[in-house]
């Protein structure tokens, strides 16, 4: 027998309700399955959070952020090492970003880069200065690498053991008025450096 015209809306409504109920049942099953894995979350992340959530750099809106678990079961020495690397890379990226902006604005070191008479502004900006047909000669690249290596090994480190915090490379020589700031200002400036370094590392 055929379905009457008047019964079709009722049948359609029943089918829709049944479909919704089935979807809700599937969602409830998935939620229950997911909750079964909740105990797998160990106390490692909680321990790291409790230990380092008050450290400089755990700032709003993200707060303490360690998605790879690098600080799970880490001690203060491990944290200080990671903070040192973060600060160093942040400073390098800030310098690189600033150098890119300056050279692209047309500002270059005056004079020649080699004895052949090639000027600094005769080379392209950005990554093209290192790679490509018009890049800096190999001898120039090696000089840059050796200079950076010298800074890394002998200069950009706490040589005298007088550092107040991780990343303090003044070594009793440079100050620029740092000791005249109060503790709150010092923490603020260090937090700003961290944030700017993180932004520069993101490009």
């Amino acid at each position: 027998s055929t379905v009457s015209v008047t019964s079709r809306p009722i049948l359609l409504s029943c089918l829709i309700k049944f479909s919704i109920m089935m979807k809700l049942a599937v969602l409830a099953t998935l939620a229950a399955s997911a909750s079964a894995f909740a105990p797998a979350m160990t106390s490692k992340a909680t321990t790291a959070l409790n230990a380092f959530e008050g450290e400089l750099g755990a700032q709003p809106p993200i707060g303490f952020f360690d998605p790879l678990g690098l600080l799970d079961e880490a001690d203060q020495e491990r944290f200080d090492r990671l903070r040192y690397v973060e600060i160093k890379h942040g400073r390098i990226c800030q310098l690189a970003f600033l150098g890119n902006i300056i050279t692209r604005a047309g500002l270059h070191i005056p004079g020649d880069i080699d004895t052949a008479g090639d000027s600094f502004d005769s080379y392209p900006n950005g990554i093209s200065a290192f790679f490509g047909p018009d890049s800096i000669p190999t001898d120039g690249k090696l000089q840059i690498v050796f200079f950076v290596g010298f800074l890394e090994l002998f200069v950009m480190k706490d040589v005298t053991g007088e550092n107040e915090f991780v990343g303090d490379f003044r070594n009793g020589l440079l100050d620029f008025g740092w000791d005249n700031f109060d503790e709150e200002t010092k923490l603020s400036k260090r937090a700003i450096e961290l944030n700017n370094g993180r932004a520069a590392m993101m490009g």
Side-chain angles (χ1 to χ4, degrees):
S1 61
T2 59
V3 179
S4 65
V5 176
T6 56
S7 64
R8 286 179 183 174
I10 297 174
L11 181 61
L12 183 60
S13 176
C14 290
L15 288 173
I16 292 174
K17 288 181 180 178
F18 179 75
S19 175
I20 292 174
M21 289 176 58
M22 289 300 296
K23 290 177 180 177
L24 289 175
V26 171
L27 286 175
T29 303
L30 290 174
S33 300
S35 64
F37 292 98
M41 298 278 295
T42 64
S43 61
K44 292 181 180 179
T46 304
T47 303
L49 177 61
N50 293 336
F52 302 111
E53 65 179 355
E55 291 284 350
L56 187 71
Q59 303 167 130
I62 297 177
F64 180 79
F65 186 67
D66 183 26
L68 299 180
L70 297 177
L71 292 175
D72 290 353
E73 299 183 346
D75 55 12
Q76 189 65 42
E77 183 180 357
R78 167 73 171 164
F79 177 85
D80 289 344
R81 170 62 185 166
L82 293 174
R83 173 52 51 85
Y84 166 78
V85 173
E86 179 186 21
I87 291 175
K88 180 176 69 173
H89 289 173
R91 288 171 177 171
I92 292 170
C93 290
Q94 288 179 80
L95 288 171
F97 188 79
L98 184 61
N100 193 31
I101 291 176
I102 290 175
T103 54
R104 290 188 183 279
L107 300 175
H108 297 85
I109 299 174
D112 298 331
I113 196 172
D114 54 26
T115 56
D118 297 315
S119 61
F120 282 96
D121 59 3
S122 65
Y123 291 96
N125 301 317
I127 197 70
S128 299
F130 267 77
F131 304 101
D134 299 323
S135 64
I136 298 171
T138 303
D139 290 345
K141 296 174 186 175
L142 290 175
Q143 289 179 42
I144 294 174
V145 170
F146 285 131
F147 179 66
V148 171
F150 173 79
L151 292 177
E152 175 75 13
L153 294 174
F154 302 107
V155 179
M156 303 307 294
K157 59 191 299 184
D158 179 32
V159 179
T160 62
E162 301 178 53
N163 64 329
E164 291 183 13
F165 50 86
V166 177
D168 179 9
F169 299 150
R170 291 176 294 161
N171 292 310
L173 298 175
L174 302 175
D175 183 67
F176 300 114
W178 178 260
D179 290 332
N180 296 326
F181 297 132
D182 56 37
E183 291 303 316
E184 184 178 354
T185 303
K186 289 180 179 180
L187 286 174
S188 174
K189 290 184 176 296
R190 289 173 58 198
I192 290 171
E193 181 190 25
L194 271 175
N195 282 339
N196 289 345
R198 291 167 178 172
M201 285 188 280
M202 294 296 291

